[in-house]
Amino acid sequence: MSFLKSFPPPGPAEGLLRQQPDTEAVLNGKGLGTGTLYIAESRLSWLDGSGLGFSLEYPTISLHALSRDRSDCLGEHLYVMVNAKFEEESKESVADEEEEDSDDDVEPITEFRFVPSDKSALEAMFTAMCECQALHPDPEDEDSDDYDGEEYDVEAHEQGQGDIPTFYTYEEGLSHLTAEGQATLERLEGMLSQSVSSQYNMAGVRTEDSIRDYEGECPFSV
């Protein structure tokens, strides 16, 4: 695996929260071997017995979860999805890279699975991941909280320094209508009145008003 590098494991200076030995790493279904998983505040790292491994930056991790599916051949494990590309370089991978470069809209996704020999450690591993991930929020989520509109200055309005919107009662609103506006309002009220009166003549519907209007008449022939 070309992306496996030799580097010192994260220590207390990097906020190491969990060190899990005898943990198998699986990349997109391919086993990388057994090594030690380091869950630190700065990064997530895995190193095999020879000192080769990889590190994942938390901003690139889009999802982490515990897999409890015992039917999986790997058994219970820690699942991590990364928005980055990690794979062995080969002629096939080079060809795949050329195809992916032609489609810039497709975001690369890599799946890692960490399978500890001690299954009882999974909860602690997941908790440590949650704590570290919370220290690296998604910048896009922060940007979405920004409000581009104008702010309402409550203090300025209370002091009479701001523009206060004008509200009218029904009677005040009528007095501000032009002659054309009043004619339009009367026409709409007339249409509304006709609509209300017609509801009593709906077939099969009888209200108290319709009973009074049609008292003594039978709307249906027997």
Side-chain angles (χ1 to χ4, degrees), residues 15 51 67-68 77 87 110 139 165 167 203 214:
S67 175
R68 298 291 190 182
H77 59 273
E87 66 178 7
T110 302
F167 299 95
Y214 297 97

Side-chain angles (χ1 to χ4, degrees), residues 9-197:
E14 296 186 64
L16 180 63
L17 297 186
R18 184 78 185 181
Q19 178 176 334
Q20 190 62 42
D22 298 326
T23 300
E24 180 184 3
V26 179
L27 165 64
N28 292 334
K30 297 180 180 180
L32 303 180
T34 301
T36 302
L37 180 67
Y38 300 88
I39 305 176
E41 295 177 352
S42 59
R43 53 195 167 101
L44 177 67
S45 303
W46 179 87
L47 290 167
D48 63 13
S50 65
L52 292 177
F54 57 88
S55 290
L56 305 177
E57 302 295 333
Y58 288 106
T60 66
I61 298 176
S62 58
L63 174 67
H64 69 275
L66 286 182
S67 175
R68 298 291 190 182
D69 187 5
R70 297 184 178 180
S71 63
D72 192 322
C73 61
L74 295 176
E76 297 176 299
H77 59 273
L78 177 66
Y79 173 85
V80 177
M81 180 185 290
V82 181
N83 292 333
K85 188 175 182 179
F86 294 85
E87 66 178 7
E88 181 181 8
E89 289 187 357
S90 63
K91 293 181 179 179
E92 294 181 357
S93 64
V94 172
D96 293 339
E97 288 181 1
E98 293 178 352
E99 292 180 0
E100 292 181 1
D101 290 340
S102 62
D103 189 357
D104 297 334
D105 296 334
V106 178
E107 186 174 14
I109 293 178
T110 302
E111 295 179 321
F112 287 93
R113 302 173 192 272
F114 300 100
V115 190
S117 59
D118 182 9
K119 303 300 183 184
S120 64
L122 281 169
E123 287 290 346
M125 294 167 59
F126 178 75
T127 300
M129 278 290 299
C130 291
E131 294 179 5
C132 294
Q133 190 77 53
L135 299 176
H136 303 271
D138 189 345
E140 294 183 0
D141 292 341
E142 293 181 349
D143 294 339
S144 64
D145 295 335
D146 295 339
Y147 177 65
D148 295 333
E150 296 182 359
E151 295 183 358
Y152 185 85
D153 192 339
V154 177
E155 183 177 356
H157 283 288
E158 290 178 349
Q159 296 177 358
Q161 298 176 358
D163 295 331
I164 301 177
T166 303
F167 299 95
Y168 296 105
T169 63
Y170 177 76
E171 291 76 9
E172 291 174 343
L174 288 178
S175 64
H176 286 77
L177 285 178
T178 62
E180 182 180 356
Q182 292 179 358
T184 302
L185 178 61
E186 292 175 359
R187 183 169 65 256
L188 292 175
E189 289 178 340
M191 294 171 61
L192 179 61
S193 177
Q194 292 178 2
S195 175
V196 172
S197 62

